[in-house]
Amino acid sequence: MPVHTQAGEPRRPPFDAEAARRLREALGMTPAHVAYGIAAAYGMPLSPATVAAWEAGERAPSEAELTALAGALWCAPGELLGAPDTLHEYRLALGLAAADLARRIGMDPAGYARLEAGGRWRGTERQAAALAEALALPLPALIRFTGRDALLTELLTSAATTRWQAYVRPVGKVVPLPRARLREVLQDLHADYQATMAATLHWGGGERAEESGRAGRAFLDGILTEFWARAGAAHH
């Protein structure tokens, strides 16, 4: 069932309604108990119907409500969330305040807030490493949040379509993986791209060049996802 939010509200976290219901029932609580606990401990008046709507997937709690709900259910906020995708969601899953995270990575709070809102990464390598550690980010997520996806895609495309050996070092500067692993992955991508192009050219018929072009473009369109899969990195 879709989750409804009011116009103008900030984006709601990826709430796991089933997890909320399961955790509540495991504690032997009713929605009324949860609503009372949130009101008493966090000063947020809520009706049992609101809690029930969260569990039914009809509504999702705000960030503040999610933190309060986690407190009432004696769990971490991350236990009430689906798989995080945005920087905001990774932070929220750990129950960190934006200002606290900004201080931890040595970034101005206003600058970090702009980053979560979709702004361009302007931090240093040290700050990127601190961000990855603080949020336990998978490598693909770190590359995406620090704005290096486009550069990596460009390098991978060149490696697949030209001499892959020339791109081991440039890719290694973007992705901190062992050199031997990068060589293996880039060589495989190059070989598979060339095989894809050769296979479609041998189909015969007057449209073989056009088919080859489409197959090649499809391969390159998915090359970043394919790279992460072959490199053995979780892609979130």
Side-chain angles (χ1 to χ4, degrees):
M1 184 177 295
V3 171
H4 301 289
T5 59
Q6 299 299 315
E9 287 186 352
R11 178 177 175 176
R12 299 281 173 145
F15 184 63
D16 188 336
E18 176 60 27
R21 182 192 62 76
R22 185 174 63 250
L23 287 165
R24 174 182 60 75
E25 291 179 347
L27 292 171
M29 300 171 71
T30 66
H33 291 145
V34 174
Y36 176 82
I38 290 175
Y42 296 91
M44 295 181 183
L46 289 175
S47 69
T50 297
V51 176
W54 291 343
E55 293 183 2
E58 296 170 356
R59 291 184 59 83
S62 66
E63 180 173 344
E65 289 167 341
L66 179 75
T67 301
L69 178 61
L73 296 178
W74 293 84
C75 68
E79 295 179 63
L80 298 173
L81 296 175
D85 180 61
T86 67
L87 190 57
H88 171 77
E89 290 165 5
Y90 274 98
R91 175 179 61 78
L92 187 58
L94 294 177
L96 292 173
D100 291 339
L101 178 58
R103 283 191 292 269
R104 185 178 299 188
I105 67 175
M107 183 175 286
D108 174 67
Y112 178 79
R114 287 192 295 271
L115 184 62
E116 274 202 6
R120 182 180 177 183
W121 171 262
R122 299 184 183 279
T124 65
E125 287 297 322
R126 176 177 291 185
Q127 289 172 325
L131 180 67
E133 181 179 1
L135 298 183
L137 294 176
L139 184 54
L142 176 63
I143 298 300
R144 177 158 54 91
F145 295 149
T146 53
R148 290 176 283 180
D149 258 7
L151 173 59
L152 180 55
T153 299
E154 180 181 339
L155 293 172
L156 295 175
T157 298
S158 296
T161 57
T162 60
R163 289 187 67 255
W164 65 267
Q165 296 91 336
Y167 291 91
V168 175
R169 173 175 283 188
V171 171
K173 289 182 178 180
V174 178
V175 182
L177 290 174
R179 180 66 61 88
R181 185 63 182 141
L182 286 177
R183 288 180 61 88
E184 179 183 351
V185 173
L186 294 184
Q187 184 175 14
D188 286 349
L189 288 173
H190 176 85
D192 285 356
Y193 173 77
Q194 300 301 327
T196 296
M197 298 296 287
T200 51
L201 282 173
H202 283 88
W203 287 348
E207 297 182 353
R208 62 183 182 274
E210 183 178 345
E211 292 292 344
S212 177
R214 281 199 293 265
R217 285 192 297 273
F219 184 95
L220 296 177
D221 285 345
I223 199 167
L224 184 60
T225 299
E226 190 64 25
F227 171 78
W228 290 126
R230 298 185 188 210
H235 193 198
H236 292 295

